[in-house]
């Protein structure tokens, strides 16, 4: 009988505890299950997006190999509209831009590069896009626009390339002293054994001796 009384007391205590905390526990469990389900759903969505983006990227590669400009544009439009958040979209922008440059479709190429600058999540890809876009603007004699594209904080591995490209744009504007300073900055970022040094030194030296 004593055992039954003790058991009843424990049961009553459990009922009282559940009455006080049961709703909170059920709510917490529901939230946790919802969060887990949402997380798993998001992971599935990401995998699905990546797989679909890979197919579009493959179609883009085939269009590039075939030099089919309309298909290149169509594939990248699909990539940007539906799979912009995937890594494939960034690769696609660079690939399509190069192919469009080769096809002399400069405006379309610039659009690809500008999209990557504006929407890319990888700073290295964005830096490459800026360098290429600045190069196109140099060819178009849009020197101020090219300098504006480069006027950002530069990832360390690209510092020399950015400075070199600024030098080219400044030379084209006949801003000799500023161009020389840009080339000097580029050289300061390069190691002695790097082959790019020779070209930059030639460009700097071609500007002549600075006026005193």
């Amino acid at each position: 009988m004593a055992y039954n009384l003790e058991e009843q007391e424990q049961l009553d205590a459990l009922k009282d505890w559940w009455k006080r905390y049961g709703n909170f526990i059920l709510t917490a469990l529901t939230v946790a299950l919802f969060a887990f389900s949402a997380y798993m759903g998001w992971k599935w969505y990401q995998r699905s997006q990546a797989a679909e983006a890979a197919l579009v990227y493959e179609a883009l590669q085939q269009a590039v190999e075939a030099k089919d400009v309309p298909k290149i544009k169509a594939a990248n439009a699909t990539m940007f509209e539906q799979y912009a958040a995937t890594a494939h979209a960034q690769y696609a922008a660079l690939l399509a831009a190069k192919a469009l440059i080769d096809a002399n479709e400069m405006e379309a190429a610039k659009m690809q590069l500008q999209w990557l600058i504006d929407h890319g999540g990888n700073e290295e890809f964005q830096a490459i896009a800026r360098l290429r876009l600045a190069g196109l603007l140099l060819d178009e004699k849009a020197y101020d626009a090219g300098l504006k594209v480069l006027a950002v904080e530069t990832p360390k591995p690209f510092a020399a390339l950015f400075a070199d490209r600024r030098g080219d744009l400044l030379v084209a504007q006949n801003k000799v002293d500023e161009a020389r300073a840009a080339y000097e900055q580029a050289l300061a970022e390069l190691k002695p054994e790097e082959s790019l040094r020779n070209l930059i030194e030639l460009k700097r030296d071609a500007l002549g001796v600075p006026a005193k």
Side-chain angles (χ1 to χ4, degrees):
M1 185 63 125
Y3 175 78
N4 290 338
L5 180 60
E6 182 181 348
E7 198 174 54
Q8 184 62 45
E9 288 175 349
Q10 290 176 346
L11 184 60
D12 290 342
L14 180 61
K15 287 180 179 179
D16 182 60
W17 181 87
W18 182 257
K19 190 174 182 180
R20 293 172 62 187
Y21 301 109
N23 286 339
F24 172 78
I25 291 171
L26 287 174
T27 300
L29 286 172
T30 300
V31 170
L33 286 171
F34 178 80
F36 178 74
S37 297
Y39 171 77
M40 294 303 293
W42 174 244
K43 296 298 287 184
W44 174 86
Y45 174 78
Q46 286 183 312
R47 289 194 295 270
S48 175
Q49 286 286 97
E52 292 173 11
L55 293 176
V56 177
Y57 186 75
E58 184 178 349
L60 172 62
Q61 289 179 308
Q62 293 172 354
V64 168
E65 290 174 5
K67 298 181 180 180
D68 190 327
V69 171
K71 286 186 178 179
I72 291 172
K73 292 179 179 179
N76 247 31
T78 299
M79 187 72 80
F80 293 164
E81 290 170 7
Q82 300 182 27
Y83 308 106
T86 67
H88 285 91
Q90 298 180 75
Y91 288 108
L94 290 178
L95 177 62
K98 184 180 183 306
L100 291 167
I101 290 170
D102 292 342
N104 203 33
E105 293 273 348
M106 298 306 175
E107 289 303 315
K110 288 193 294 183
M111 287 177 60
Q112 310 302 313
L113 297 171
Q114 190 63 56
W115 181 92
L116 183 51
I117 291 169
D118 294 338
H119 303 286
N122 184 299
E123 67 174 10
E124 293 185 356
F125 282 6
Q126 288 174 308
I128 293 170
R130 286 184 181 279
L131 285 167
R132 292 184 181 177
L133 180 56
L136 294 179
L137 293 169
L138 173 61
D139 292 340
E140 294 177 356
K141 301 183 179 181
Y143 307 130
D144 287 334
L147 289 168
K148 185 177 180 180
V149 167
L150 299 175
V152 294
E153 186 174 348
T154 311
K156 183 66 175 176
F158 294 89
L161 294 173
F162 269 58
D164 177 49
R165 186 56 51 84
R166 279 196 299 272
D168 295 342
L169 287 158
L170 290 164
V171 167
Q173 292 180 309
N174 202 31
K175 296 179 179 179
V176 175
D177 291 338
E178 291 178 55
R180 184 184 294 105
Y183 290 140
E184 291 287 1
Q185 181 186 354
L187 291 168
E189 294 289 344
L190 292 171
K191 296 178 181 178
E193 67 274 12
E194 293 190 69
S195 59
L196 183 59
R197 289 188 67 88
N198 294 333
L199 175 59
I200 297 176
E201 286 173 347
L202 285 171
K203 290 193 287 187
R204 179 202 59 188
D205 295 346
L207 297 176
V209 179
K212 295 183 179 180

